[in-house]
Amino acid sequence: MGPLEIVNTEPIGKNQVPGLIIVPRGRQAEASHAAAVTPKLISLLEDYYGTPYPYQKLDQVVVPLTTSWGAMENAGLIAYGDFLLAPREEDTALRQRRRAGIMLHEMSHQWFGDLVTTAWWDDIWLNEAFASWLSLKLLNEAHPDWKLRPEEVSNTGTMRTDSLASARKIRQPIEAPGDIANAFDGITYDKGSQVIGMFENYVNPEVFQHAIRLYLSRHAWGNATAADLLAALDTVAGPGAGAAFTTFLNQGGFPLLRVKLNCDTTPPALEVSQERFLPLGSAAKVGPLWQVPICVEWADASGGHSQCAMQSKAHDTIPLHASGGCPAWVFANQNAAGYYAVAYDPRLFESLISQGIDKLTLAERVSILRDMQLTFSSGRSDTRTAFAGAREFSRDSDRIVVGQTEALVSSVNELVPPELRLNYAHFVETLYGARARELGWRPKAGESEDTRQLRLELVGFVAVSGQDRPLQEDAAKLAHTWLQDRHSLDPDMVEPVLEVAAYNGDRPWFDALVASAKGTKVKRERDWIIGALGSFRDPAIERSALELLWNGDIDARELIPVLFSPWKETRDIVWDFVRENFDRLNSKLPGARGIPFGSRLPLTAARYCDESHRQQVASFFQSRIASLSGGKRNLDNVLERISLCSVRADVVRPGLVAFLAEQ
Ligand SMILES: [Zn+2]
């Protein structure tokens, strides 16, 4: 790792302990942002926890090349990958935001993870979910303009994984070494974080904070379990919340709440029924009911109201206590804090959209679109309904809302038949083309951070899915210039520009990128170039990119992304390569946390969407996966994804074809 140099931070926390940032020689100036924010982040945590930073010093060390980990919260000595550093002129707001988020996550572990340590691996979720939740909460409160909460709500990835039969539970028993490695996944970090947020909202944030402080004081300098945290919660909030929390810990999946308004009773009531959210064709078992802390907002003649209840029966009635008669609208996920999806009765949905939508926060509006996305991507709603929603919201002024409509539209990408590609591109152009071309690839002076983010979200998508020639040609020109002059592009835009340039890229362009990757000493630039090497649509070039794994000019560990090509056109090339070279890949590339690299290889086939490939993947890995610790869960997960995708394709395709034929 050496030689190293040291940067001092200002004294840290209430006890004013010394802080160092330890960096590779010659890169001290690149640590200025990390050094400046360290004392501020620790102060945020001291205020929340109510106790000073527990150690006598805080060192933070930069590890130049990490594989399969980004940061590690050793007590008083946090290790980070290269992202902790950046030259000031390249350090965009987005990168600073992401860096602060990871730093705060690791720092929150100094109390929650280090000062109090989980007794065993089955509660590792408690460390990770808590650190993820608290760092996001505190940054969101300190910088509401960053929109971190709405962004979290907009992301359907975790809920989609959680809807699979093969999904882990948050608190999964640890039965083999591979289970430990598998425990560091989106269910642990993100589902765990969202479930904590749901209960914080339900018992109220001050009460929840008291429970956390009680838990820390009871167990400081010792071990604890999830049961200890829930006991502290019950002590502070009264009995009930802990037991309800457990229903989310010990089973996979999440609830779908169907809600309907009944104004024939006094007071009016919300009828709520609960079922597990399952994609079409799912073979998942339906487990016990959840105890769902549901918080509702509504408006009637007497004004706006909100109320929470514990929904624990298959069919429940929640009386809406207010004096204003029948509500004009009802929204069933206050603060978008609930880890559940809502399906409104059609009349209730209509009144929510026509009368309530303006009263909702951004995160709340985003949750409505998220539920729409979940329903469509799991084959539970038709193209026309989903695309009408996408069209309606595609011109929204908020970048996150626009991004969600894009996710709806791009979710059919794999299903579009070749003869309707142009119709699909035309639909994409109609919705987003003008806006994307106006944004262009380059930032303009004085524009807002939101506009910069929207550019990142939209322009690459329109260039490829909208087959936008002017944007594609611009990207190629900008990419060629960037290869000669690394300051010629906005650092946030290098990745999408290089990816689009590779999409239509030819052999000389590939060779130029390879030569450049070999000669580039800056890690993040090498990462961008390697990302581009795996993004050529030409199958022969994709094959050459894969062969780079063997020739030793570029560190094979850095080339792992080329195994995960973004295009449908090249997925067969990757799959053939994996089958031909399985043993070699497994022995050459590094595993993580004790599981071999081969256990990740089923994921290279995850984007197939037909039964015959499902069988091919199953039979190829059948004899190989048993000996690969942690691999069986990945394989089960991929097989289930392919199988559900093929069921969805059969249902969605006729409607999609009819819709696209009209475009
Ligand atoms: Zn962590």
Side-chain angles (χ1 to χ4, degrees):
M1 280 175 50
L4 302 168
E5 280 177 344
I6 281 171
V7 177
N8 290 286
T9 73
E10 295 293 316
I12 291 167
K14 292 206 163 56
N15 295 338
Q16 293 286 285
V17 303
L20 304 180
I21 301 185
I22 302 151
V23 305
R25 183 185 289 168
R27 297 183 69 187
Q28 284 159 307
E30 295 185 40
S32 62
H33 175 252
V37 297
T38 292
K40 295 178 193 158
L41 297 177
I42 291 290
S43 294
L44 286 178
L45 291 166
E46 288 185 333
D47 290 347
Y48 187 81
Y49 288 130
T51 57
Y53 172 73
Y55 303 103
Q56 287 83 38
K57 54 103 176 168
L58 175 56
D59 296 339
Q60 301 178 87
V61 60
V62 178
V63 180
L65 179 61
T66 66
T67 52
S68 308
W69 64 277
M72 184 64 213
E73 68 268 21
N74 312 294
L77 177 67
I78 303 174
Y80 301 94
D82 188 77
F83 64 86
L84 201 74
L85 305 177
R88 194 183 293 259
E89 67 278 11
E90 289 181 27
D91 210 19
T92 60
L94 179 63
R95 284 164 71 176
Q96 294 192 349
R97 231 169 82 176
R98 289 182 178 158
R99 180 182 304 123
I102 297 172
M103 291 174 75
L104 192 53
H105 175 112
E106 303 308 324
M107 290 171 180
S108 71
H109 278 316
Q110 301 296 313
W111 286 259
F112 212 103
D114 292 349
L115 179 64
V116 178
T117 301
T118 52
W120 179 239
W121 292 102
D122 51 6
D123 275 330
I124 200 67
W125 73 271
L126 193 55
N127 277 8
E128 297 308 344
F130 187 85
S132 301
W133 168 77
L134 185 61
S135 55
L136 192 126
K137 170 192 164 75
L138 295 180
L139 278 186
N140 190 58
E141 288 170 1
H143 300 279
D145 54 311
W146 290 0
K147 301 183 181 176
L148 297 176
R149 264 289 291 153
E151 256 176 22
E152 182 192 35
V153 175
S154 75
N155 186 351
T156 57
T158 302
M159 289 175 112
R160 282 166 65 183
T161 302
D162 199 21
S163 71
L164 301 177
S166 55
R168 286 177 55 256
K169 305 162 191 167
I170 295 179
R171 192 176 194 280
Q172 184 80 26
I174 300 294
E175 289 158 352
D179 294 336
I180 296 173
N182 279 333
F184 291 85
D185 72 349
I187 297 294
T188 290
Y189 285 76
D190 302 329
K191 178 181 178 181
S193 163
Q194 292 183 51
V195 170
I196 289 173
M198 171 165 68
F199 281 90
E200 186 216 22
N201 185 64
Y202 176 72
V203 302
N204 108 35
E206 289 75 30
V207 171
F208 194 80
Q209 185 180 15
H210 285 149
I212 297 303
R213 291 179 171 193
L214 177 63
Y215 166 82
L216 287 177
S217 68
R218 278 180 180 168
H219 304 284
W221 306 104
N223 294 104
T225 63
D228 294 323
L229 177 69
L230 299 181
L233 186 58
D234 282 348
T235 303
V236 175
F245 202 117
T246 309
T247 68
F248 281 85
L249 289 181
N250 293 331
Q251 63 179 331
F254 62 91
L256 170 67
L257 302 182
R258 294 187 187 279
V259 298
K260 195 175 175 199
L261 182 62
N262 182 356
C263 281
D264 297 337
T265 58
T266 312
L270 201 62
E271 292 172 1
V272 183
S273 65
Q274 177 195 135
E275 62 198 75
R276 180 172 177 180
F277 182 96
L278 290 176
L280 198 66
S282 171
K285 284 200 291 283
V286 175
L289 292 172
W290 286 272
Q291 293 180 38
V292 187
I294 174 176
C295 293
V296 182
E297 295 170 7
W298 75 96
D300 60 24
S302 65
H305 312 279
S306 70
Q307 180 184 315
C308 294
M310 191 62 81
Q311 199 273 341
S312 55
K313 291 185 270 181
H315 304 281
D316 233 341
T317 300
I318 302 175
L320 301 177
H321 297 288
S323 54
C326 191
W329 55 268
V330 178
F331 176 66
N333 196 351
Q334 183 199 36
N335 295 328
Y339 185 72
Y340 52 75
V342 183
Y344 294 87
D345 159 73
R347 272 180 51 203
L348 192 56
F349 189 69
E350 206 172 285
S351 63
L352 172 62
I353 296 298
S354 61
Q355 296 177 69
I357 195 98
D358 298 341
K359 316 290 187 303
L360 303 184
T361 65
L362 175 60
E364 291 173 336
R365 281 193 289 139
V366 160
S367 80
I368 295 175
L369 269 166
R370 177 198 62 195
D371 293 351
M372 204 184 270
Q373 266 174 271
L374 284 169
T375 312
F376 184 54
S377 64
S378 55
R380 295 279 179 193
S381 68
D382 63 286
T383 308
R384 209 166 283 277
T385 311
F387 281 14
R391 195 190 291 271
E392 168 91 20
F393 287 98
S394 65
R395 287 174 182 80
D396 198 279
S397 61
D398 190 87
R399 64 169 169 96
I400 299 174
V401 173
V402 176
Q404 280 187 296
T405 66
E406 184 200 312
L408 263 173
V409 172
S410 65
S411 73
V412 299
N413 214 335
E414 305 282 320
L415 310 180
V416 177
E419 66 278 12
L420 288 170
R421 271 278 139 202
L422 282 178
N423 300 49
Y424 177 67
H426 185 251
F427 179 62
V428 169
E429 273 285 332
T430 312
L431 263 54
Y432 311 106
R435 203 163 178 179
R437 280 188 299 276
E438 192 189 316
L439 286 163
W441 292 106
R442 287 169 182 276
K444 297 174 182 63
E447 69 186 8
S448 69
E449 190 54 29
D450 269 345
T451 302
R452 290 173 55 89
Q453 293 287 303
L454 182 63
R455 170 178 298 108
L456 191 56
E457 182 86 48
L458 207 57
V459 178
F461 172 68
V462 171
V464 171
S465 295
Q467 295 291 326
D468 191 299
R469 294 303 299 179
L471 286 175
Q472 289 182 4
E473 283 158 17
D474 279 355
K477 272 185 232 148
L478 292 169
H480 281 78
T481 308
W482 179 82
L483 209 58
Q484 306 310 319
D485 172 9
R486 302 293 160 89
H487 300 293
S488 64
L489 256 180
D490 175 54
D492 289 340
M493 296 305 292
V494 175
E495 266 186 294
V497 163
L498 291 184
E499 183 176 286
V500 172
Y503 178 76
N504 287 326
D506 56 13
R507 179 67 65 172
W509 174 233
F510 176 78
D511 293 340
L513 286 173
V514 173
S516 179
K518 288 182 203 167
T520 296
K521 293 239 167 5
V522 182
K523 166 96 169 64
R524 65 188 165 275
E525 291 178 5
R526 246 180 5 252
D527 287 344
W528 293 334
I529 297 169
I530 288 166
L533 292 175
S535 303
F536 280 76
R537 192 172 35 142
D538 181 322
I541 301 181
E542 171 66 18
R543 180 81 199 187
S544 302
L546 293 164
E547 301 286 351
L548 292 171
L549 282 160
W550 312 137
N551 71 18
D553 290 335
I554 304 171
D555 191 316
R557 294 171 297 178
E558 291 187 83
L559 282 165
I560 291 171
V562 303
L563 286 163
F564 300 88
S565 152
W567 317 125
K568 189 178 174 181
E569 289 88 342
T570 46
R571 66 186 175 195
D572 289 341
I573 305 293
V574 175
W575 175 228
D576 289 346
F577 182 84
V578 166
R579 281 187 296 172
E580 286 159 29
N581 297 287
F582 179 82
D583 291 333
R584 205 170 163 197
L585 286 167
N586 186 36
S587 59
K588 184 176 172 90
L589 290 167
R593 300 187 176 91
I595 66 167
F597 185 77
S599 64
R600 280 174 69 188
L601 284 171
L603 303 174
T604 60
R607 289 180 50 203
Y608 281 116
C609 192
D610 61 285
E611 192 50 34
S612 80
H613 275 100
R614 198 194 73 83
Q615 286 171 14
Q616 229 183 65
V617 174
S619 72
F620 178 78
F621 282 107
Q622 192 178 30
S623 59
R624 292 172 173 86
I625 210 75
S627 63
L628 296 174
S629 177
K632 184 164 183 317
R633 182 172 297 281
N634 286 339
L635 178 61
D636 289 348
N637 193 288
V638 165
L639 294 177
E640 187 181 358
R641 279 176 198 274
I642 299 174
S643 151
L644 292 174
C645 184
S646 91
V647 172
R648 174 181 179 239
D650 291 343
V651 172
V652 168
R653 205 175 267 127
L656 177 65
V657 166
F659 179 87
L660 290 179
E662 296 164 14
Q663 302 305 308

